[in-house]
Structures are given as C-alpha cells and as structure tokens.
Amino acid sequence: MKSGFLAAAAAAVVVSASVAAGAATLDTVKQRGFVQCGVNAGLPGFGNPDSAGNWTGLDVDYCRAVAVAIFNDPNKVKFTPLSAQQRFPAIQSGEVDLLSRNTTATLTRDTSVGLNFAPVTYYDGQGFMVPKKLGVKSAKELNGATVCVQSGTTTELNLADYFRANGMSYNPVVIESNDEVNAAYFAGRCDVLTTDVSGLAGTRAGVAPVPDDHVILPEVISKEPLAPAVRHGDDQWFDIVKWTVFATIQAEEFGITSKNIDEFTNSKNPDIQRYLGTTPGMGKALGLDEKWAYNVVKKVGNYGEIFDRNVGPGTALKLERGLNALWTKGGLMYAQPFR
C-alpha cells in the first residue's frame, strides 16, 4: 500500500513538472528566437528540403505561419526532419515545439501519446499505388499481393484491417524509413505501395523515375485527418497553433489573400475588423500582437494559397481541393468564429 502511494505520488510530481515545463512554451520560443518544428524527412508537397536545404511544403508553411504569428518573420523557424517512429518522442520530450508532419489525428494519439491536435490542414485517406503495367484497376484485385508499408503508422494498421475485412491475403514488406519504403517499391520488391493518397501523389510526382508508369487506385480505405500537434500541458501554445490554422482558413472565406489584404484594413465589417486587429482584442487573448492574423496571411497566405502553392492542380502533385475546399463550397474547411 505504501509503495503504491509513493509510486502514485512520484508520478504526480513527474506529471506536474512536465505540465509546468510545458506551460512556458511561448516564452521559451521567444527567448530562443525561433520555433523548432518537426517535419517529414522528405515528402514532396508537404515537407521536403531542396539540395540547398530550403524547406517547402504545406506542413512547412504552417510552421512558418506560427513563426509569423509570434515573430512576424517566416524565417524564424528551424526544421527537424523526423521519421514516423521519431515524431512522437520528439514532441513529447520537447525536442520540437510543434509537429507539422502529415500526422493523422486519432483518439489514442490525443490521449495516451499526449498530443493536442490543431485543426486539420489536410483531409486525406489511405490508398494504393501500383505499376501501371500490372493492369490492376481496383484494390479488390490485390489478393496475394506484396505490399510495401511504413512501420509505426496508422497506414500499417489500416492495411491489415482492409485485407482482413475483404477476405484477402497479402505479404507485407514493413520498413521504418519512408525513403526506404519508396526505394523498395520502385526497385520491384513489392507490387503495391500504400500510404495516404496525398503521400502517394507526392511520391509519384517527386520520386518515381517515370511518374506515368504508376497509377493510384480509386479506393480510399480510411479517414486520415492530417493536423499539426503540440504536447499536452500548455493551453496558450495550443491556442496559438490552433488559431493560426484557423486564421488561414478564415482569410480564404473572407476573400482575403496575401495580395489584397491591405484593401481590407478599412473594412466596416466587424468580423474583419476583429480578425485583422483594427478592433483590438484577439491578439491580446492569445498573447500576440493584434496584427498577428494580418501578418500570417500577408507573409504566408490564406489556406487556398497554401494549398495551391504546394499540392494543388498547378503543382506536380495535381491534387484537387475535394474535402479540403471551404465549407461554403462543399468541403470541410471551417474556421471557428474570431470573436
């Protein structure tokens, strides 16, 4: 009984210390002078460095947006490339302040892993890519196939569920590194590559020797709401990340872009006045400058601009908005009120 009490007390001390340490994230970031952001080690369209080490992608832009909200400078951010296995320990330990790495929000990650997920930045689903020469038209034709999949992901679990539910067998090739998974697929070690559809599009566009030699099958077998995440224990930091995402979505709904935002500074619309900080209050509530949302859109863009620049129809990924359209256009992108 005594040992159990002491163990519980010790655990409480650890939790309290963790929460206390986490509660100062904004102060720590300001003192350090930049946001430390965990991103994919290399996924075209979402988080990818060029040969000079310059990072681009939709997830990368949300790291930059948070840096702008705090410092009014999109360059006040440093990127830590993380594998699927590294990402959660990195955010839990404080190695990174923010995880913006094509990560699916799930119940267990929200609870036992200890993450708080910001609003979804890309609604996705798991799919399959196969060489066109196989002549496969549907995932229902994959019985007995060899499938390349990354370990430590919801992808691995969904794959098993899908084949079991459809009474099919498969031979998994499970590899930790995303780069090695892709290399195995393109080397012919497996018949199928499975991950989020956006990831398949990025891999086909940015990694495949001949992109047109590969086809993404029509089935989408899961819900994969991809969202930035922070660790439990710091509500202010969570609010800043959450409302930065909402700011990009709300700007698009208002029709505000990085190019026309100055035309809205004299708007008589009370909602826009609060949003842009001409009527003060929203910035103070977050512990930020009143023009934080203005700065984010001016220097990073609204959600539509971020989407189109990184993954949209005019990019190599050629992704349509689909579920990622605004709610006013039949999609799921919806910002909570700025008031």
Side-chain angles (χ1 to χ4, degrees):
M1 185 74 175
K2 183 177 180 182
S3 62
F5 174 79
L6 291 175
V13 169
V14 171
V15 171
S16 298
S18 175
V19 171
T25 307
L26 179 59
D27 291 340
T28 299
V29 168
K30 285 182 173 180
Q31 290 168 8
R32 186 198 303 135
F34 59 88
V35 177
Q36 192 73 51
C37 196
V39 293
N40 197 297
L43 181 61
F46 289 85
N48 204 39
D50 63 18
S51 58
N54 299 310
W55 286 86
T56 60
L58 186 146
D59 291 336
V60 166
D61 276 350
Y62 276 102
C63 298
R64 297 193 190 282
V66 171
V68 171
I70 299 165
F71 298 109
N72 193 21
D73 186 343
N75 297 313
K76 291 291 183 79
V77 58
K78 292 188 178 179
F79 300 101
T80 300
L82 299 169
S83 70
Q85 290 73 23
Q86 294 169 333
R87 56 185 167 173
F88 299 142
I91 188 69
Q92 291 165 333
S93 67
E95 178 185 350
V96 298
D97 309 306
L98 167 64
L99 183 66
S100 187
R101 187 208 173 279
N102 59 297
T103 297
T104 302
T106 70
L107 186 151
T108 52
R109 289 173 176 178
D110 195 24
T111 53
S112 58
V113 177
L115 303 182
N116 282 335
F117 284 95
V120 172
T121 53
Y122 192 92
Y123 287 96
D124 209 346
Q126 185 173 332
F128 301 96
M129 183 164 71
V130 299
K132 188 178 292 184
K133 66 183 180 182
L134 294 183
V136 174
K137 303 298 182 184
S138 167
K140 298 293 179 63
E141 301 172 28
L142 296 178
N143 187 36
T146 300
V147 184
C148 279
V149 61
Q150 189 176 13
S151 62
T153 62
T154 56
T155 307
E156 186 180 5
L157 304 176
N158 295 335
L159 175 64
D161 288 347
Y162 180 78
F163 274 80
R164 183 169 56 249
N166 285 281
M168 300 190 301
S169 65
Y170 71 102
N171 301 305
V173 177
V174 183
I175 304 173
E176 178 177 342
S177 163
N178 186 58
D179 288 344
E180 292 179 8
V181 172
N182 294 336
Y185 169 73
F186 290 118
R189 287 182 56 195
C190 44
D191 308 306
V192 186
L193 177 64
T194 185
T195 188
D196 299 341
V197 173
S198 64
L200 294 175
T203 298
R204 181 173 63 177
V207 182
V210 182
D212 288 343
D213 284 352
H214 302 270
V215 60
I216 298 173
L217 300 179
E219 288 85 358
V220 176
I221 69 169
S222 68
K223 295 186 293 185
E224 306 295 334
L226 308 180
V230 299
R231 59 189 166 273
H232 282 176
D234 189 339
D235 288 344
Q236 182 188 26
W237 184 244
F238 176 49
D239 288 345
I240 288 170
V241 175
K242 174 173 66 176
W243 285 95
T244 296
V245 176
F246 279 147
T248 66
I249 298 169
Q250 186 60 58
E252 185 179 13
E253 184 177 337
F254 281 143
I256 298 174
T257 71
S258 59
K259 295 179 177 59
N260 70 12
I261 191 167
D262 289 322
E263 299 172 17
F264 286 82
T265 54
N266 294 319
S267 173
K268 302 302 182 184
N269 183 328
D271 291 331
I272 294 177
Q273 290 175 339
R274 284 191 296 272
Y275 174 84
L276 293 179
T278 52
T279 297
M282 301 300 99
K284 181 180 179 180
L286 292 170
L288 301 175
D289 186 273
E290 293 295 347
K291 292 184 66 177
W292 68 275
Y294 168 94
N295 294 333
V296 166
V297 177
K298 182 75 172 179
K299 297 191 174 178
V300 181
N302 68 27
Y303 180 79
E305 290 178 286
I306 293 170
F307 184 100
D308 288 343
R309 176 167 64 240
N310 292 296
V311 301
T315 70
L317 276 68
K318 298 182 173 60
L319 295 174
E320 300 292 338
R321 287 289 292 269
L323 295 177
N324 297 293
L326 292 178
W327 68 285
T328 53
K329 297 183 178 179
L332 298 177
M333 285 296 166
Y334 185 109
Q336 293 173 10
F338 281 71
R339 63 177 312 119

